[in-house]
Amino acid sequence: MTMSNNNTNKKVVDANNPLANLDEWEMDILKRYPDPSAIATNKKTEEFRNYAAEETDTVKEFYRLNHTHQSYDFVLRKKTDFLQFNKKEMPIWSAFDFLNELVDDSDPDTDLDQMQHLLQTSEAIRNDGHPDWMVLVGLIHDMGKVLCLFGEPQWSVVGDTFPVGCAYSDKIVYPEFFKNNPDYNHEVYSQKFGVYKPNCGLKNVHMSWGHDEYVYHMMKDYLPEEGLYMLRYHSFYSQHRENAYAHLMDEHDHEMFKWVKLFNPYDLYSKNPNQKSWAELQPYYKALVKKYLPETLKF
Ligand SMILES: [Fe+2]
Ligand SMILES: [Fe+2]
């Protein structure tokens, strides 16, 4: 990634990609929602907080770009393009290799590659005795970040997600940045319900574009609905943490969000320095992937 880094004063070289790496956004979430119970972690909440505090400028700029550009029309354009899945076909394992290219080795704060985050999430789920499809969700939930490798900017791949085509909630992080969004003063999109009907159900709602929506569509024929909700809404913090969009949800969404909420702590707090090696874990995960997914996936 085109970024110079001298610890105290990070200079943004690529104006469209302010984060040193995608983990900076996730560290910022930890600052907002620190671990209440310290599940499966030896690292103190305070350490995560300190890390995140140093990242404020680049993360803030990242949110500014995200909120400026994630409009209703933008989302529809991205869906039309990427949901054709005509970019590449590969086994899931190649996608993980692909993902690991996202790590910026010039960043001394990042000691984990994307695959480690996925394995730590899935292993924490497995250790708690959840169903195997949920373990698989842990393994693949961030696979949509391969979007970066198709030339998508960071703000179109990661970040909190939220509905578009209706008013942006002030419960979304940095709500003031939505003032720059073309939909902010739109006569329909700026309204509470916008293009939607009250409690129409999230199946009828377009979410901001990113790795969550992308991986949901990729997996929708292969996993139980509970798992699909986890994939699709895992970054929808303004709902699963703040309950800001209940007016668009139906009864079924509320039922399914119990699973989204169950998944979230595994995503955020499952950092484990004593993780088993990939060599040890591989047989289990190869079999798990084989059970649910085809040999190759379309991207
Ligand atoms: Fe994610
Ligand atoms: Fe994640």
Side-chain angles (χ1 to χ4, degrees):
M1 221 156 277
T2 45
M3 184 95 193
S4 76
N5 181 354
N6 59 10
N7 285 334
T8 49
N9 186 16
K10 288 189 175 177
K11 196 168 147 236
V12 176
V13 174
D14 182 348
N16 213 17
N17 292 299
L19 303 178
N21 60 68
L22 298 180
D23 292 339
E24 275 195 303
W25 163 64
E26 268 140 350
M27 297 311 289
D28 185 64
I29 298 175
L30 272 175
K31 180 174 139 193
R32 266 187 280 151
Y33 303 112
D35 185 357
S37 57
I39 57 161
T41 178
N42 294 350
K43 212 169 184 179
K44 292 193 198 94
T45 299
E46 205 52 40
E47 290 176 51
F48 287 122
R49 260 208 202 109
N50 291 340
Y51 176 101
E54 291 163 15
E55 307 304 326
T56 307
D57 285 353
T58 51
V59 172
K60 194 173 172 183
E61 174 60 9
F62 160 79
Y63 287 126
R64 192 188 67 76
L65 290 166
N66 176 281
H67 294 4
T68 300
H69 297 297
Q70 290 274 357
S71 64
Y72 189 66
D73 288 348
F74 174 81
V75 166
L76 295 188
R77 273 205 313 278
K78 288 294 161 187
K79 284 182 148 179
T80 303
D81 182 4
F82 282 102
L83 300 186
Q84 293 182 60
F85 295 104
N86 60 0
K87 307 274 182 272
K88 205 174 170 75
E89 183 164 350
M90 56 187 160
I92 194 169
W93 308 109
S94 307
F96 290 137
D97 290 343
F98 213 38
L99 259 192
N100 278 343
E101 292 173 24
L102 290 175
V103 175
D104 179 2
D105 342 75
S106 72
D107 186 347
D109 298 326
T110 303
D111 49 1
L112 288 179
D113 58 30
Q114 293 290 324
M115 189 66 195
Q116 286 306 312
H117 167 61
L118 293 175
L119 279 176
Q120 293 190 343
T121 307
S122 59
E123 279 294 281
I125 292 168
R126 180 152 78 122
N127 290 336
D128 282 355
H130 292 298
D132 66 351
W133 55 259
M134 185 170 167
V135 179
L136 183 58
V137 164
L139 184 73
I140 63 177
H141 76 280
D142 281 343
M143 206 174 62
K145 290 178 183 174
V146 296
L147 282 168
C148 270
L149 299 156
F150 300 136
E152 291 301 290
Q154 292 162 343
W155 52 263
S156 178
V157 177
V158 295
D160 296 45
T161 59
F162 42 81
V164 294
C166 61
Y168 300 111
S169 166
D170 60 8
K171 292 279 170 53
I172 302 168
V173 61
Y174 287 115
E176 62 272 27
F177 289 144
F178 286 113
K179 292 199 175 76
N180 307 320
N181 188 295
D183 293 353
Y184 189 75
N185 292 313
H186 189 281
E187 66 177 319
V188 178
Y189 306 158
S190 66
Q191 301 302 305
K192 181 177 180 184
F193 291 100
V195 298
Y196 310 114
K197 300 248 170 357
N199 303 106
C200 61
L202 292 178
K203 62 182 180 296
N204 295 308
V205 171
H206 292 288
M207 298 295 292
S208 57
W209 177 249
H211 70 286
D212 313 59
E213 186 71 13
Y214 182 57
V215 78
Y216 156 72
H217 283 278
M218 199 182 295
M219 293 296 154
K220 66 182 174 193
D221 295 333
Y222 308 119
L223 290 174
E225 190 182 20
E226 293 84 348
L228 295 174
Y229 264 78
M230 293 174 186
L231 291 177
R232 194 176 199 177
Y233 301 111
H234 75 269
S235 307
F236 189 9
Y237 284 89
S238 57
Q239 179 54 41
H240 66 67
R241 290 288 185 136
E242 310 290 342
N243 199 34
Y245 285 97
H247 56 284
L248 294 178
M249 292 168 67
D250 59 19
E251 276 312 306
H252 187 62
D253 291 325
H254 285 293
E255 209 41 53
M256 288 293 122
F257 262 61
K258 290 174 186 165
W259 293 91
V260 178
K261 289 175 192 177
L262 175 68
F263 176 75
N264 182 248
Y266 292 105
D267 187 9
L268 284 189
Y269 311 132
S270 60
K271 298 235 179 345
N272 177 5
N274 306 315
Q275 178 73 33
K276 283 185 191 159
S277 71
W278 173 235
E280 254 178 294
L281 295 172
Q282 196 174 20
Y284 171 82
Y285 284 99
K286 291 264 167 165
L288 181 64
V289 163
K290 219 181 175 104
K291 178 176 172 185
Y292 287 98
L293 303 180
E295 286 289 310
T296 59
L297 293 168
K298 292 196 169 77
F299 292 81

